[in-house]
Amino acid sequence: MSTYRKILVAVDLSEEAEQVLQTAADIAEANQAELFVLHVADNPVSPYSQFPEFSAPVSAAEIKESIFAQLARTVENVGLSRELITIDLGRSIDAIVERSDEHQCDLIVIGSHGRHGIQLLLGSTANGVLHHANCDVLAVRVRETIEQ
Ligand code: AMP
């Protein structure tokens, strides 16, 4: 059985991210691998695009800080350290592949679901990463979280 030494898990800000993180954490533990948690935020071309609740323009640093706080809770919910988190700006597929190359990861763990009909035609993040990655890619089929 092959073992993985360095694993990058790509997480969005959805409720389902915890499922992807949990799978990555389990694989990292079983392989005693190093784990990197990556989120890619939109480049703030329009500072209001991602955070319409802000009434003033926000800097990239403020965006990262806000996302970090949110992700830190998710990461800690599955027993991981917030120090594993990196937030990059840019296009998610490119950034995920670039970071995994930079860290010489041998596995990328990513979520996959069938919710975005149009994205299935155009290619989801998981699909794009699968086609461009230079290492193994595990697509975790995420179950939609049903809000009570
Ligand atoms: P989607 O393309 O929206 O179906 O997302 C599928 C999976 O891609 C998510 O479960 C994450 O693992 C990953 N992903 C999507 N967007 C991002 C992002 N902005 N940063 C990091 N990972 C992402």
Side-chain angles (χ1 to χ4, degrees):
M1 193 184 129
S2 63
T3 55
Y4 294 109
R5 291 174 305 108
K6 292 186 174 192
I7 300 171
L8 182 142
V9 55
V11 286
D12 57 20
L13 301 176
S14 69
E15 297 263 319
E16 290 86 23
E18 205 167 305
Q19 298 170 41
V20 182
L21 269 173
Q22 185 66 65
T23 300
D26 291 346
I27 297 171
E29 192 180 0
N31 287 266
Q32 296 189 318
E34 190 174 355
L35 187 62
F36 303 91
V37 178
L38 176 67
H39 175 79
V40 188
D42 281 341
N43 227 326
V45 178
S46 160
Y48 299 102
S49 59
Q50 218 172 19
F51 293 93
E53 68 274 20
F54 283 107
S55 57
V58 287
S59 65
E62 286 171 306
I63 289 176
K64 283 187 174 184
E65 201 177 310
S66 169
I67 291 173
F68 187 89
Q70 187 177 336
L71 273 182
R73 283 192 293 276
T74 312
V75 162
E76 286 171 357
N77 277 348
V78 300
L80 296 171
S81 162
R82 57 175 63 199
E83 287 174 18
L84 304 182
I85 299 171
T86 298
I87 297 168
D88 282 342
L89 297 176
R91 280 196 64 229
S92 54
I93 294 170
D94 297 341
I96 291 165
V97 172
E98 278 165 24
R99 276 286 175 192
S100 78
D101 286 350
E102 183 195 323
H103 292 306
Q104 298 183 303
C105 291
D106 38 26
L107 179 68
I108 296 172
V109 178
I110 195 160
S112 173
H113 51 61
R115 265 188 312 162
H116 305 303
I118 193 71
Q119 274 196 327
L120 283 182
L121 294 175
L122 298 175
S124 65
T125 309
N127 223 5
V129 169
L130 184 60
H131 282 95
H132 292 97
N134 297 303
C135 63
D136 289 358
V137 177
L138 175 69
V140 177
R141 172 64 76 180
V142 291
R143 298 171 307 280
E144 272 191 58
T145 309
I146 299 164
E147 293 190 13
Q148 302 288 331

